[in-house]
Amino acid sequence: MKKIVIVISVIWFSALTNAKNFTYEINSREELNVQQNKNVALNFINSYVKFLGILPPDRKKINSWIANNKMLTQNFKTAYKKIGNVDFDPILDAQDYPENFEIIKFNEKTGIVTVKGKNWEDFIVNIKIIKTGNTWFVDGCGVVNIPKNLRAKR
């Protein structure tokens, strides 16, 4: 009888240990997935302001940068083209902007990553992220393809 109890205990303990490892792997994948969301949003917005800082504002060069950007969905690119000439930057929803951003939150239900200026904490931009296949893309930012109720408050 003692042998049966010992064997059952070993099997039970082994099953618990494997279950904990499995749960940890799933949590790690989910955490990685969330981090990828955040990274695509942050990489996009920071590369965009870096691009803007390299040259004086030139709508043709910005249009070309948007059209060739692999972080953006076709939906984003189409929505950006439809905006036309405005007296502000539609991606940043502003005329002036900070040099760098950092993430302050991510809403998994809406796919909205909220970023703020690193040295300009009141400057907030919402970026919409979607997953296509195994890759995350920016599908909206500022006023581009972001519904009014999900835009950063100005």
PDB file of all heavy atoms in Angstrom, residues 4 12 15 27 30 38 42 45-46 54-55 58 79-80 90-92 119-120 128 131 135 141-142 147:
ATOM      1  N   ILE A   4       2.124   2.178  -3.464  1.00  0.00           N
ATOM      2  CA  ILE A   4       1.103   2.793  -4.306  1.00  0.00           C
ATOM      3  C   ILE A   4       0.966   4.269  -3.968  1.00  0.00           C
ATOM      4  O   ILE A   4       0.897   5.125  -4.855  1.00  0.00           O
ATOM      5  CB  ILE A   4      -0.254   2.059  -4.156  1.00  0.00           C
ATOM      6  CG1 ILE A   4      -0.142   0.656  -4.744  1.00  0.00           C
ATOM      7  CG2 ILE A   4      -1.371   2.824  -4.842  1.00  0.00           C
ATOM      8  CD1 ILE A   4      -1.361  -0.200  -4.515  1.00  0.00           C
ATOM      9  N   TRP A  12       1.585  12.667  -9.131  1.00  0.00           N
ATOM     10  CA  TRP A  12       0.823  13.888  -8.868  1.00  0.00           C
ATOM     11  C   TRP A  12       1.744  15.100  -8.819  1.00  0.00           C
ATOM     12  O   TRP A  12       1.485  16.125  -9.419  1.00  0.00           O
ATOM     13  CB  TRP A  12       0.060  13.720  -7.547  1.00  0.00           C
ATOM     14  CG  TRP A  12      -0.790  14.894  -7.193  1.00  0.00           C
ATOM     15  CD1 TRP A  12      -1.947  15.281  -7.770  1.00  0.00           C
ATOM     16  CD2 TRP A  12      -0.534  15.846  -6.159  1.00  0.00           C
ATOM     17  NE1 TRP A  12      -2.433  16.414  -7.175  1.00  0.00           N
ATOM     18  CE2 TRP A  12      -1.575  16.776  -6.175  1.00  0.00           C
ATOM     19  CE3 TRP A  12       0.485  15.996  -5.211  1.00  0.00           C
ATOM     20  CZ2 TRP A  12      -1.638  17.840  -5.299  1.00  0.00           C
ATOM     21  CZ3 TRP A  12       0.413  17.060  -4.351  1.00  0.00           C
ATOM     22  CH2 TRP A  12      -0.641  17.971  -4.389  1.00  0.00           C
ATOM     23  N   ALA A  15       2.993  15.940 -12.271  1.00  0.00           N
ATOM     24  CA  ALA A  15       1.945  16.593 -13.065  1.00  0.00           C
ATOM     25  C   ALA A  15       1.807  18.056 -12.668  1.00  0.00           C
ATOM     26  O   ALA A  15       1.655  18.928 -13.522  1.00  0.00           O
ATOM     27  CB  ALA A  15       0.616  15.862 -12.895  1.00  0.00           C
ATOM     28  N   ASN A  27       1.982  32.342 -20.171  1.00  0.00           N
ATOM     29  CA  ASN A  27       2.066  33.721 -19.688  1.00  0.00           C
ATOM     30  C   ASN A  27       3.210  34.461 -20.363  1.00  0.00           C
ATOM     31  O   ASN A  27       3.085  35.624 -20.700  1.00  0.00           O
ATOM     32  CB  ASN A  27       2.227  33.752 -18.165  1.00  0.00           C
ATOM     33  CG  ASN A  27       0.953  33.364 -17.447  1.00  0.00           C
ATOM     34  OD1 ASN A  27      -0.126  33.428 -18.009  1.00  0.00           O
ATOM     35  ND2 ASN A  27       1.095  32.927 -16.218  1.00  0.00           N
ATOM     36  N   GLU A  30       2.144  35.462 -23.853  1.00  0.00           N
ATOM     37  CA  GLU A  30       1.207  36.581 -23.795  1.00  0.00           C
ATOM     38  C   GLU A  30       1.942  37.879 -23.486  1.00  0.00           C
ATOM     39  O   GLU A  30       1.669  38.907 -24.093  1.00  0.00           O
ATOM     40  CB  GLU A  30       0.126  36.319 -22.749  1.00  0.00           C
ATOM     41  CG  GLU A  30      -0.856  35.241 -23.173  1.00  0.00           C
ATOM     42  CD  GLU A  30      -1.809  34.847 -22.066  1.00  0.00           C
ATOM     43  OE1 GLU A  30      -1.719  35.407 -20.953  1.00  0.00           O
ATOM     44  OE2 GLU A  30      -2.636  33.964 -22.324  1.00  0.00           O
ATOM     45  N   LYS A  38       3.333  46.950 -28.107  1.00  0.00           N
ATOM     46  CA  LYS A  38       3.869  48.216 -27.640  1.00  0.00           C
ATOM     47  C   LYS A  38       5.068  48.652 -28.477  1.00  0.00           C
ATOM     48  O   LYS A  38       5.200  49.825 -28.811  1.00  0.00           O
ATOM     49  CB  LYS A  38       4.259  48.101 -26.172  1.00  0.00           C
ATOM     50  CG  LYS A  38       3.082  47.899 -25.249  1.00  0.00           C
ATOM     51  CD  LYS A  38       3.558  47.712 -23.833  1.00  0.00           C
ATOM     52  CE  LYS A  38       2.415  47.509 -22.882  1.00  0.00           C
ATOM     53  NZ  LYS A  38       2.882  47.333 -21.508  1.00  0.00           N
ATOM     54  N   LEU A  42       5.582  52.200 -30.448  1.00  0.00           N
ATOM     55  CA  LEU A  42       6.660  53.093 -30.027  1.00  0.00           C
ATOM     56  C   LEU A  42       7.702  53.285 -31.132  1.00  0.00           C
ATOM     57  O   LEU A  42       8.151  54.409 -31.381  1.00  0.00           O
ATOM     58  CB  LEU A  42       7.316  52.542 -28.760  1.00  0.00           C
ATOM     59  CG  LEU A  42       8.228  53.486 -28.009  1.00  0.00           C
ATOM     60  CD1 LEU A  42       7.487  54.744 -27.568  1.00  0.00           C
ATOM     61  CD2 LEU A  42       8.825  52.774 -26.797  1.00  0.00           C
ATOM     62  N   ILE A  45       6.131  55.739 -33.859  1.00  0.00           N
ATOM     63  CA  ILE A  45       6.018  57.163 -33.510  1.00  0.00           C
ATOM     64  C   ILE A  45       7.395  57.802 -33.344  1.00  0.00           C
ATOM     65  O   ILE A  45       7.627  58.926 -33.784  1.00  0.00           O
ATOM     66  CB  ILE A  45       5.116  57.380 -32.261  1.00  0.00           C
ATOM     67  CG1 ILE A  45       4.679  58.841 -32.150  1.00  0.00           C
ATOM     68  CG2 ILE A  45       5.771  56.909 -30.989  1.00  0.00           C
ATOM     69  CD1 ILE A  45       3.668  59.273 -33.165  1.00  0.00           C
ATOM     70  N   ASN A  46       8.333  57.072 -32.739  1.00  0.00           N
ATOM     71  CA  ASN A  46       9.678  57.645 -32.577  1.00  0.00           C
ATOM     72  C   ASN A  46      10.427  57.746 -33.906  1.00  0.00           C
ATOM     73  O   ASN A  46      11.152  58.708 -34.129  1.00  0.00           O
ATOM     74  CB  ASN A  46      10.476  56.853 -31.540  1.00  0.00           C
ATOM     75  CG  ASN A  46      10.084  57.219 -30.127  1.00  0.00           C
ATOM     76  OD1 ASN A  46       9.672  58.347 -29.845  1.00  0.00           O
ATOM     77  ND2 ASN A  46      10.184  56.266 -29.220  1.00  0.00           N
ATOM     78  N   ILE A  54      14.726  65.424 -39.470  1.00  0.00           N
ATOM     79  CA  ILE A  54      15.826  65.400 -40.431  1.00  0.00           C
ATOM     80  C   ILE A  54      15.663  66.465 -41.500  1.00  0.00           C
ATOM     81  O   ILE A  54      16.614  67.045 -41.980  1.00  0.00           O
ATOM     82  CB  ILE A  54      15.943  64.003 -41.090  1.00  0.00           C
ATOM     83  CG1 ILE A  54      16.394  62.985 -40.049  1.00  0.00           C
ATOM     84  CG2 ILE A  54      16.880  64.012 -42.281  1.00  0.00           C
ATOM     85  CD1 ILE A  54      16.365  61.552 -40.538  1.00  0.00           C
ATOM     86  N   LEU A  55      14.431  66.726 -41.885  1.00  0.00           N
ATOM     87  CA  LEU A  55      14.213  67.652 -42.996  1.00  0.00           C
ATOM     88  C   LEU A  55      13.115  68.648 -42.671  1.00  0.00           C
ATOM     89  O   LEU A  55      12.287  68.409 -41.812  1.00  0.00           O
ATOM     90  CB  LEU A  55      13.830  66.865 -44.255  1.00  0.00           C
ATOM     91  CG  LEU A  55      12.790  65.758 -44.061  1.00  0.00           C
ATOM     92  CD1 LEU A  55      11.483  66.115 -44.715  1.00  0.00           C
ATOM     93  CD2 LEU A  55      13.367  64.514 -44.704  1.00  0.00           C
ATOM     94  N   ASP A  58       7.963  68.731 -45.601  1.00  0.00           N
ATOM     95  CA  ASP A  58       7.745  68.596 -47.037  1.00  0.00           C
ATOM     96  C   ASP A  58       6.720  67.484 -47.225  1.00  0.00           C
ATOM     97  O   ASP A  58       7.025  66.312 -46.987  1.00  0.00           O
ATOM     98  CB  ASP A  58       9.057  68.256 -47.733  1.00  0.00           C
ATOM     99  CG  ASP A  58       8.912  68.093 -49.237  1.00  0.00           C
ATOM    100  OD1 ASP A  58       7.797  67.875 -49.726  1.00  0.00           O
ATOM    101  OD2 ASP A  58       9.954  68.172 -49.917  1.00  0.00           O
ATOM    102  N   ALA A  79      -6.192  55.961 -45.412  1.00  0.00           N
ATOM    103  CA  ALA A  79      -6.817  56.990 -44.567  1.00  0.00           C
ATOM    104  C   ALA A  79      -5.957  58.251 -44.533  1.00  0.00           C
ATOM    105  O   ALA A  79      -6.479  59.369 -44.563  1.00  0.00           O
ATOM    106  CB  ALA A  79      -7.040  56.454 -43.161  1.00  0.00           C
ATOM    107  N   TYR A  80      -4.644  58.088 -44.492  1.00  0.00           N
ATOM    108  CA  TYR A  80      -3.731  59.244 -44.477  1.00  0.00           C
ATOM    109  C   TYR A  80      -3.874  60.058 -45.765  1.00  0.00           C
ATOM    110  O   TYR A  80      -3.940  61.284 -45.724  1.00  0.00           O
ATOM    111  CB  TYR A  80      -2.290  58.780 -44.283  1.00  0.00           C
ATOM    112  CG  TYR A  80      -1.308  59.918 -44.232  1.00  0.00           C
ATOM    113  CD1 TYR A  80      -1.127  60.645 -43.058  1.00  0.00           C
ATOM    114  CD2 TYR A  80      -0.571  60.295 -45.355  1.00  0.00           C
ATOM    115  CE1 TYR A  80      -0.234  61.716 -43.008  1.00  0.00           C
ATOM    116  CE2 TYR A  80       0.320  61.350 -45.311  1.00  0.00           C
ATOM    117  CZ  TYR A  80       0.486  62.060 -44.134  1.00  0.00           C
ATOM    118  OH  TYR A  80       1.359  63.109 -44.095  1.00  0.00           O
ATOM    119  N   PRO A  90      -1.366  65.351 -39.053  1.00  0.00           N
ATOM    120  CA  PRO A  90      -2.457  64.464 -38.670  1.00  0.00           C
ATOM    121  C   PRO A  90      -2.012  63.223 -37.887  1.00  0.00           C
ATOM    122  O   PRO A  90      -2.796  62.677 -37.108  1.00  0.00           O
ATOM    123  CB  PRO A  90      -3.087  64.065 -40.004  1.00  0.00           C
ATOM    124  CG  PRO A  90      -2.060  64.341 -41.033  1.00  0.00           C
ATOM    125  CD  PRO A  90      -1.194  65.432 -40.500  1.00  0.00           C
ATOM    126  N   ILE A  91      -0.779  62.815 -38.046  1.00  0.00           N
ATOM    127  CA  ILE A  91      -0.282  61.652 -37.298  1.00  0.00           C
ATOM    128  C   ILE A  91      -0.056  62.022 -35.838  1.00  0.00           C
ATOM    129  O   ILE A  91      -0.338  61.241 -34.933  1.00  0.00           O
ATOM    130  CB  ILE A  91       1.002  61.091 -37.952  1.00  0.00           C
ATOM    131  CG1 ILE A  91       0.639  60.484 -39.318  1.00  0.00           C
ATOM    132  CG2 ILE A  91       1.684  60.068 -37.056  1.00  0.00           C
ATOM    133  CD1 ILE A  91       1.817  60.053 -40.141  1.00  0.00           C
ATOM    134  N   LEU A  92       0.417  63.230 -35.601  1.00  0.00           N
ATOM    135  CA  LEU A  92       0.658  63.692 -34.236  1.00  0.00           C
ATOM    136  C   LEU A  92      -0.518  64.499 -33.690  1.00  0.00           C
ATOM    137  O   LEU A  92      -0.562  64.801 -32.505  1.00  0.00           O
ATOM    138  CB  LEU A  92       1.934  64.539 -34.203  1.00  0.00           C
ATOM    139  CG  LEU A  92       3.201  63.776 -34.577  1.00  0.00           C
ATOM    140  CD1 LEU A  92       4.334  64.727 -34.868  1.00  0.00           C
ATOM    141  CD2 LEU A  92       3.570  62.780 -33.489  1.00  0.00           C
ATOM    142  N   ASN A 119       9.779  64.333 -22.573  1.00  0.00           N
ATOM    143  CA  ASN A 119      10.025  65.579 -21.850  1.00  0.00           C
ATOM    144  C   ASN A 119       8.856  66.549 -22.004  1.00  0.00           C
ATOM    145  O   ASN A 119       9.014  67.748 -21.819  1.00  0.00           O
ATOM    146  CB  ASN A 119      11.327  66.235 -22.347  1.00  0.00           C
ATOM    147  CG  ASN A 119      12.527  65.372 -22.049  1.00  0.00           C
ATOM    148  OD1 ASN A 119      12.639  64.809 -20.971  1.00  0.00           O
ATOM    149  ND2 ASN A 119      13.416  65.237 -23.016  1.00  0.00           N
ATOM    150  N   TRP A 120       7.709  65.999 -22.364  1.00  0.00           N
ATOM    151  CA  TRP A 120       6.514  66.807 -22.581  1.00  0.00           C
ATOM    152  C   TRP A 120       5.330  65.925 -22.193  1.00  0.00           C
ATOM    153  O   TRP A 120       4.603  65.416 -23.028  1.00  0.00           O
ATOM    154  CB  TRP A 120       6.457  67.225 -24.030  1.00  0.00           C
ATOM    155  CG  TRP A 120       5.436  68.237 -24.406  1.00  0.00           C
ATOM    156  CD1 TRP A 120       4.351  68.652 -23.690  1.00  0.00           C
ATOM    157  CD2 TRP A 120       5.386  68.952 -25.639  1.00  0.00           C
ATOM    158  NE1 TRP A 120       3.637  69.572 -24.396  1.00  0.00           N
ATOM    159  CE2 TRP A 120       4.253  69.782 -25.605  1.00  0.00           C
ATOM    160  CE3 TRP A 120       6.186  68.962 -26.773  1.00  0.00           C
ATOM    161  CZ2 TRP A 120       3.905  70.607 -26.661  1.00  0.00           C
ATOM    162  CZ3 TRP A 120       5.830  69.782 -27.818  1.00  0.00           C
ATOM    163  CH2 TRP A 120       4.703  70.616 -27.757  1.00  0.00           C
ATOM    164  N   LYS A 128      -3.302  53.082 -32.866  1.00  0.00           N
ATOM    165  CA  LYS A 128      -4.069  51.839 -32.994  1.00  0.00           C
ATOM    166  C   LYS A 128      -3.200  50.764 -33.626  1.00  0.00           C
ATOM    167  O   LYS A 128      -2.592  50.976 -34.668  1.00  0.00           O
ATOM    168  CB  LYS A 128      -5.312  52.071 -33.860  1.00  0.00           C
ATOM    169  CG  LYS A 128      -6.178  50.844 -33.997  1.00  0.00           C
ATOM    170  CD  LYS A 128      -7.393  51.152 -34.855  1.00  0.00           C
ATOM    171  CE  LYS A 128      -8.223  49.927 -35.091  1.00  0.00           C
ATOM    172  NZ  LYS A 128      -9.296  50.191 -36.049  1.00  0.00           N
ATOM    173  N   LYS A 131      -3.075  43.045 -35.428  1.00  0.00           N
ATOM    174  CA  LYS A 131      -2.224  41.913 -35.777  1.00  0.00           C
ATOM    175  C   LYS A 131      -2.736  41.293 -37.067  1.00  0.00           C
ATOM    176  O   LYS A 131      -3.917  40.986 -37.202  1.00  0.00           O
ATOM    177  CB  LYS A 131      -2.239  40.873 -34.658  1.00  0.00           C
ATOM    178  CG  LYS A 131      -1.252  39.751 -34.862  1.00  0.00           C
ATOM    179  CD  LYS A 131      -1.222  38.826 -33.666  1.00  0.00           C
ATOM    180  CE  LYS A 131      -0.167  37.757 -33.831  1.00  0.00           C
ATOM    181  NZ  LYS A 131      -0.142  36.852 -32.677  1.00  0.00           N
ATOM    182  N   THR A 135       2.288  39.235 -37.345  1.00  0.00           N
ATOM    183  CA  THR A 135       2.967  40.527 -37.290  1.00  0.00           C
ATOM    184  C   THR A 135       2.005  41.619 -36.848  1.00  0.00           C
ATOM    185  O   THR A 135       0.847  41.644 -37.256  1.00  0.00           O
ATOM    186  CB  THR A 135       3.556  40.873 -38.673  1.00  0.00           C
ATOM    187  OG1 THR A 135       4.352  39.775 -39.126  1.00  0.00           O
ATOM    188  CG2 THR A 135       4.414  42.117 -38.605  1.00  0.00           C
ATOM    189  N   CYS A 141      -3.176  56.496 -36.051  1.00  0.00           N
ATOM    190  CA  CYS A 141      -2.366  57.311 -35.142  1.00  0.00           C
ATOM    191  C   CYS A 141      -2.814  58.768 -35.257  1.00  0.00           C
ATOM    192  O   CYS A 141      -3.045  59.259 -36.363  1.00  0.00           O
ATOM    193  CB  CYS A 141      -0.888  57.189 -35.494  1.00  0.00           C
ATOM    194  SG  CYS A 141       0.215  58.009 -34.331  1.00  0.00           S
ATOM    195  N   GLY A 142      -2.912  59.445 -34.124  1.00  0.00           N
ATOM    196  CA  GLY A 142      -3.354  60.842 -34.136  1.00  0.00           C
ATOM    197  C   GLY A 142      -4.801  60.917 -34.578  1.00  0.00           C
ATOM    198  O   GLY A 142      -5.683  60.383 -33.927  1.00  0.00           O
ATOM    199  N   PRO A 147     -11.071  56.792 -34.471  1.00  0.00           N
ATOM    200  CA  PRO A 147     -12.360  57.463 -34.231  1.00  0.00           C
ATOM    201  C   PRO A 147     -12.225  58.579 -33.204  1.00  0.00           C
ATOM    202  O   PRO A 147     -11.370  58.517 -32.317  1.00  0.00           O
ATOM    203  CB  PRO A 147     -13.243  56.328 -33.690  1.00  0.00           C
ATOM    204  CG  PRO A 147     -12.544  55.063 -34.006  1.00  0.00           C
ATOM    205  CD  PRO A 147     -11.093  55.379 -34.146  1.00  0.00           C
TER     206      PRO A 147
END
